[in-house]
């Protein structure tokens, strides 16, 4: 019978390899937390007069249609004058939070002619932001309503003074030769309540069409004239203005042309156009209509014509 | 390395002082007569025949180690397992629930959940859910249906995979999901879910009857 | 004869897995597990906020089930495993109540799998609710961390050898009336 050799004896590892498992778990957990907080931007506070529709962890803060943050908490201000909304921005959007940034709550708005913020019916309210350009800040005062569009360099605003509003409201289009060149931004009663005032904005390429002697008239609604001999005469600028109201203008073809109207100039709004105005055909060069045409479509009109280039690039 | 009791106690209780190597050697020897080993404390019992409905408890730790099923029958596990396999086919193919929202119909089934996890960048979790909810139950069912001839390999399979088969948990999860969805959308339960539930129960019964028998005959 | 195979690994493995589970529970509870967009209700939920939301919407039996599966069971398992490991590790005296501890282990062994409830729930909802923008359920990284934690607790329970609890006990001898 052979003698079996004794096995070699050696010490086992002081720390068994199994402890690598929690170590790896620790690294993975740390990485997950790090990856999450890397996406976190600064937390800012926006004060609103009214907090309806704003809900913690639901309401999103959007910029250019993309979520750049989410509401973390809503609290009443100590003096009860409004609410403080705490917003956690994403990291990439941290630079939005600078002095001058504007915040406003977007809620669904359905008027006779305009539907805005339709997505908020389904998604709930959201907060829109326009970035500021000043120093970084973490406390802001929210606006009660959407600020007038800005950032379309070269557009110009004018003030119209009319007898009555008719069917014009904020968002109504402004036409030149039935081409939409701008939008009514706001309407209100004049301080003396003797007239109504409205602010119109003309898009960048068309600003030179408005001269100091330009005439504006109310182009909205049906204009139905029944004359004994001429039969019925129906005149309307466009279907959009039929529903939503609208403003049209014409510029006299004097020679030389009157100087372009400056920002904020005031004009009278007449209830209808003088026949002579419709015959004016001044030659005013406008900027080439490559990019800015789309700017005007952003005001609500989809481009009807598709150029061959855009069609070929479409998927 | 000596584990178990230290040398100071060696004199008092010599019979409990083992080295791991000794034990490995002892364990290699087959038992001379049928015994029933408690899987919790290792107490060895004599195997005694159990009548239907009787339960055997460990004399030392009182754990439940064997019982004789009222259903009895040597083929009970295999027949339950076959039933489970039969249910597994519609469970894999048919929708679990139908959801309607905004005039949109969607059906959800087991695999849709797995694919959704994968699509959202969690392939590992998707595989894990597939394993726990689908593959392991199926593996166990197949083993139970075929393996009654070979109890040893069946026992190994149960030890290796038994913990990872969780169809019953999945059934509960679907119920919770149903109640959550029910307040928001219109939900309807479909045949796939009932098949899956039946499969889950069949696995439970097959596994239970098998464990009772294998313990009793070990 | 006492067939417990006590080896150093039998303590280190469950302890290591339990620690890994505890570590993974941190991101699992801090990070969001699921994003839900359902008809104007867009939210990001952690495990805890999901339970609270269920409770607040009046589904408290459901809230209790999810609370037990996602919160109570993992914590109970880790604490229980800790007790077992401490009891086994302490060599100074014999383990005092092996019966109670064995029962504790049997319970831990049985309940661990129910923690997977939340993982399956998220997986199933993500598979069903795919209506695009108005209704979407998107799993987030927290659920992966939670699944890892559950897997680690199950591995820890599997790795623990309950026979260690009976290391110091005499095997029961056959009593006269057993024969």
């Amino acid at each position: 019978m052979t003698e079996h050799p004794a096995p070699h004896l050696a010490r086992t590892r002081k720390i068994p390899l199994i402890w690598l498992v929690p170590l790896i778990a620790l690294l993975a957990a740390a990485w997950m937390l790090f990856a999450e907080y890397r996406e976190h931007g600064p937390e800012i506070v926006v004060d609103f007069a009214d907090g309806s529709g704003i809900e913690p962890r639901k309401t999103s803060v959007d910029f250019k249609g993309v979520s750049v943050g989410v509401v973390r908490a809503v609290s009443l201000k100590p003096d009860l004058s409004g609410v403080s909304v705490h917003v956690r921005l994403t990291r990439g959007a941290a630079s939005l939070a600078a002095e001058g940034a504007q915040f406003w709550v977007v809620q669904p708005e359905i008027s006779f002619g305009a539907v805005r913020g339709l997505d908020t019916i389904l998604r709930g309210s959201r907060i829109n932001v326009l970035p500021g350009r000043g120093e970084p800040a973490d406390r802001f005062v929210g606006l009660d309503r959407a600020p007038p569009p800005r950032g379309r360099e070269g557009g110009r605003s004018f003030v119209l003074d009319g007898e009555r509003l008719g069917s014009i409201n904020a968002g109504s289009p402004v036409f030149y030769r039935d081409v939409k060149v701008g939008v009514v931004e706001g309407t209100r009663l004049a301080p003396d309540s003797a007239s109504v005032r409205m602010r119109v904005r003309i898009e960048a390429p068309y600003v030179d069409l408005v001269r100091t002697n330009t005439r504006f008239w109310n182009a909205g609604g049906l204009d139905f004239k029944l004359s004994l001999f001429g039969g019925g005469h129906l005149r309307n600028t466009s279907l959009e203005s039929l529903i939503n109201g609208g403003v049209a203008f014409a510029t006299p073809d004097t020679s030389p042309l009157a100087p372009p109207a400056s920002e904020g100039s005031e004009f009278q709004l007449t209830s209808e156009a003088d026949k002579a105005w419709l015959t004016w055909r001044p030659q005013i060069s406008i900027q080439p209509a490559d990019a800015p045409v789309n700017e005007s479509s952003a005001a609500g009109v989809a481009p009807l014509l598709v150029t061959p280039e855009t069609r070929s690039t479409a998927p | 390395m000596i584990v178990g009791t230290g040398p100071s106690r060696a004199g008092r209780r010599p019979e409990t002082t083992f080295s791991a190597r000794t034990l490995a050697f002892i364990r290699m020897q087959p038992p001379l007569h049928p015994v029933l080993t408690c899987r919790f404390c290792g107490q060895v019992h004599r195997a005694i025949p159990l009548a239907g409905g009787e339960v055997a408890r460990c004399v030392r730790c009182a754990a439940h180690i064997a019982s004789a099923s009222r259903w009895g029958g040597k083929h009970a596990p295999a027949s339950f397992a076959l039933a489970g396999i039969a249910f597994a086919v519609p469970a894999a193919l048919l929708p679990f629930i139908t959801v309607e929202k905004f005039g949109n119909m969607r059906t959800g089934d087991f695999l849709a959940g797995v694919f959704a996890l994968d699509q959202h960048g969690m392939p590992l979790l998707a595989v894990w859910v597939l394993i726990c909810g689908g593959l392991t139950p199926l593996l166990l069912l197949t083993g139970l249906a075929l393996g009654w001839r070979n109890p040893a390999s069946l026992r190994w399979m149960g030890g290796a995979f038994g913990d990872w088969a969780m169809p019953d948990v999945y059934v509960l999860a679907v119920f919770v999901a149903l109640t959550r969805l029910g307040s928001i959308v219109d939900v309807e339960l479909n045949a796939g879910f009932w098949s899956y539930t039946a499969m889950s129960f069949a696995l439970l019964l097959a596994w239970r009857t098998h464990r009772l028998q294998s313990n009793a005959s070990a | 004869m006492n067939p417990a195979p006590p080896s150093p690994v039998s303590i280190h493995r469950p302890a290591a897995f339990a620690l890994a589970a505890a570590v993974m529970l941190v991101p699992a509870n801090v990070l969001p597990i699921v994003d839900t967009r359902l008809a104007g209700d867009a939210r990001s939920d952690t495990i805890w906020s999901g339970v609270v939301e269920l409770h607040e919407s009046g589904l408290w039996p459901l809230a209790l089930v999810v609370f037990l599966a996602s919160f109570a069971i993992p914590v109970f398992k880790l604490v229980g495993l800790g007790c077992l490991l401490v009891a086994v590790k302490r060599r100074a005296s014999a383990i005092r109540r092996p019966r109670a501890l064995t029962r504790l282990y049997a319970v831990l062994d049985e309940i661990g799998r129910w923690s997977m409830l939340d993982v399956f729930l998220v997986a199933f909802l993500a598979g069903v609710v795919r209506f695009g923008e108005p209704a979407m359920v998107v799993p987030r990284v927290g659920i992966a961390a939670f699944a890892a934690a559950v897997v680690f607790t199950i591995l820890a329970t599997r790795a623990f050898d309950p026979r260690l609890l009976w290391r110091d006990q005499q095997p029961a001898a056959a009593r006269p009336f057993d024969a």
Side-chain angles (χ1 to χ4, degrees):
Chain A
M1 191 174 173
T2 51
E3 191 70 16
H4 294 296
H8 281 294
L9 293 182
R11 289 233 151 259
T12 51
R13 278 183 202 82
K14 233 186 177 137
I15 301 172
L17 274 178
I18 193 67
W19 288 98
L20 281 177
V21 173
L23 191 67
I24 292 167
L26 185 67
L27 292 178
W31 185 82
M32 280 189 262
L33 289 170
F34 171 73
E36 176 75 12
Y37 287 109
R38 201 180 44 182
E39 290 302 309
H40 279 196
E43 185 157 327
I44 59 171
V45 181
V46 187
D47 293 335
F48 285 103
D50 185 79
S52 47
I54 302 178
E55 289 179 77
R57 290 190 299 113
K58 289 185 192 172
T59 307
S60 153
V61 177
D62 287 15
F63 173 57
K64 287 187 185 293
V66 174
S67 178
V68 295
V70 68
V71 172
R72 303 288 296 178
V74 182
S75 59
L76 209 56
K77 277 159 77 171
D79 57 359
L80 306 180
S81 65
V83 294
S84 295
V85 177
H86 297 253
V87 173
R88 162 79 67 193
L89 293 176
T90 59
R91 200 174 76 106
S95 59
L96 288 174
E99 271 174 38
Q102 292 172 307
F103 294 83
W104 69 98
V105 180
V106 181
Q107 278 164 337
E109 176 190 333
I110 302 181
S111 64
F112 187 56
V115 177
R116 276 185 209 86
L118 188 61
D119 55 328
T120 58
I121 295 177
L122 292 178
R123 291 173 57 197
S125 298
R126 62 182 143 84
I127 295 174
N128 266 14
V129 58
L130 279 177
R133 297 217 173 86
E135 295 287 302
D138 60 0
R139 200 160 186 110
F140 301 89
V141 176
L143 308 176
D144 292 341
R145 54 189 312 169
R150 68 168 199 196
R152 296 182 198 159
E153 311 300 329
R156 211 171 283 167
S157 293
F158 306 103
V159 177
L160 306 184
D161 192 279
E163 197 180 326
R164 55 183 63 249
L165 207 50
S167 55
I168 297 170
N169 57 35
S172 295
V174 178
F175 296 102
Y176 182 78
R177 295 188 181 283
D178 294 354
V179 173
K180 183 171 175 176
V181 297
V183 68
V184 176
E185 282 183 350
T187 59
R188 62 184 161 86
L189 215 54
D192 59 1
S193 68
S195 61
V196 289
R197 307 194 132 221
M198 54 209 84
R199 198 175 63 227
V200 299
R201 185 166 186 86
I202 306 301
E203 302 296 344
Y206 308 113
V207 289
D208 286 346
L209 295 175
V210 183
R211 302 279 161 163
T212 52
N213 55 356
T214 292
R215 303 298 189 126
F216 285 83
W217 70 92
N218 186 338
L222 279 181
D223 185 3
F224 189 66
K225 285 178 188 157
L226 192 65
S227 70
L228 200 55
F229 304 107
H233 174 79
L234 185 62
R235 184 193 62 79
N236 183 252
T237 307
S238 75
L239 190 64
E240 187 186 0
S241 69
L242 171 69
I243 298 168
N244 206 15
V247 172
F249 66 89
T251 297
D253 43 2
T254 54
S255 182
L257 288 163
S262 59
E263 168 84 21
S265 305
E266 289 197 20
F267 294 91
Q268 283 294 318
L269 180 79
T270 55
S271 59
E272 65 178 275
D274 196 290
K275 256 185 194 147
W277 300 353
L278 301 175
T279 62
W280 291 342
R281 299 185 67 186
Q283 294 192 338
I284 304 170
S285 71
I286 57 174
Q287 293 155 26
D290 38 7
V293 166
N294 281 330
E295 282 296 324
S296 73
S297 78
V301 183
L304 288 175
L305 290 172
V306 181
T307 59
E309 294 86 61
T310 48
R311 196 181 291 137
S312 65
T313 53
Chain B
M1 177 173 174
I2 306 288
V3 183
T5 49
S8 62
R9 236 174 298 158
R12 214 170 71 217
R13 275 195 209 121
E15 69 277 19
T16 58
T17 309
F18 289 105
S19 79
R21 291 188 187 89
T22 332
L23 273 167
F25 178 66
I26 292 172
R27 265 152 51 99
M28 275 190 285
Q29 305 213 311
L32 297 175
H33 52 89
V35 292
L36 197 54
T37 309
C38 173
R39 73 187 174 99
F40 290 108
C41 72
Q43 170 72 41
V44 182
H45 305 80
R46 236 168 340 106
I48 49 172
L50 293 175
E54 273 182 341
V55 175
R57 291 193 177 280
C58 175
V59 289
R60 190 160 66 161
C61 71
H64 180 156
I65 47 175
S67 62
S69 166
R70 284 188 188 82
W71 294 68
K74 194 172 178 171
H75 299 280
S79 59
F80 281 128
L82 280 174
I85 290 173
F87 281 124
V89 177
L93 298 179
L94 297 180
F96 274 34
I97 67 174
T98 307
V99 179
E100 193 180 342
K101 185 74 183 169
F102 310 127
N104 254 332
M105 295 267 277
R106 280 281 186 292
T107 58
D109 56 21
F110 180 75
L111 289 176
V114 172
F115 287 133
L117 285 180
D118 183 49
Q119 276 166 16
H120 289 109
M122 302 183 183
L124 274 181
L125 194 58
V127 169
W128 187 243
V129 170
L130 182 66
I131 287 177
C132 291
L135 293 184
T136 317
L138 212 56
L139 182 77
L140 289 181
L141 283 172
T142 315
L144 285 163
L146 302 175
W148 52 276
R149 290 164 211 273
N150 190 348
S153 63
L154 202 50
R155 201 169 314 139
W156 172 84
M157 188 187 72
F161 301 109
D163 282 345
W164 309 115
M166 314 177 180
D168 40 0
V169 183
Y170 199 91
V171 168
L172 182 65
V174 173
F175 269 116
V176 174
L178 204 68
T179 325
R180 265 183 111 160
L181 284 173
S183 54
I184 309 159
V185 290
D186 299 325
V187 191
E188 195 184 317
L189 277 176
N190 298 132
F193 173 69
W194 298 119
S195 307
Y196 189 88
T197 309
M199 186 274 284
S200 163
F201 266 104
L203 174 62
L204 207 70
L205 288 172
W207 190 244
R208 216 178 135 69
T209 49
H210 156 73
R211 197 144 91 180
L212 301 178
Q213 286 185 9
S214 71
N215 274 345
S217 62
Chain C
M1 131 183 133
N2 187 348
S7 89
V9 179
S10 24
I11 287 190
H12 281 291
R13 276 177 57 165
F17 283 133
L19 183 64
V23 164
M24 271 304 181
L25 276 179
V26 175
N29 280 286
V30 172
L31 299 181
I33 58 166
V34 66
D35 282 357
T36 319
R37 287 197 295 272
L38 277 175
D41 184 14
R43 52 183 297 147
S44 186
D45 273 314
T46 59
I47 291 175
W48 182 246
S49 77
V51 173
V52 170
E53 195 246 344
L54 278 178
H55 175 71
E56 280 174 354
S57 54
L59 302 167
W60 65 264
L62 222 57
L64 187 68
V65 168
V66 177
F67 170 80
L68 285 176
S70 307
F71 233 82
I73 290 181
V75 171
F76 177 64
K77 269 197 89 163
L78 285 181
V79 172
L81 270 171
C83 293
L84 291 176
L85 288 170
V86 166
V88 168
K89 179 79 183 162
R90 262 199 328 219
R91 293 273 198 75
S93 59
I95 293 165
R96 235 169 268 145
R97 290 190 297 166
R99 261 192 188 213
L101 290 175
T102 306
R103 177 160 301 172
L104 174 65
Y105 175 78
V107 170
L108 295 182
D109 194 30
E110 199 56 45
I111 60 176
R113 42 208 252 101
W114 292 98
S115 299
M116 285 293 276
L117 180 77
D118 240 8
V119 179
F120 289 151
L121 182 65
V122 169
F124 189 72
L125 284 177
V128 176
V129 189
R130 290 170 294 136
F131 290 100
E133 183 52 43
M136 242 346 234
V137 169
V138 179
R140 296 286 304 273
V141 68
I143 199 67
F146 183 71
V150 174
V151 170
F152 280 133
T153 60
I154 295 177
L155 285 174
T157 330
R158 278 174 65 100
F160 183 81
D161 187 343
R163 286 174 294 185
L164 287 171
L165 297 167
W166 297 88
R167 196 180 48 202
D168 303 323
Q169 312 293 324
Q170 295 274 10
R175 281 167 288 171
F177 55 84
D178 280 348

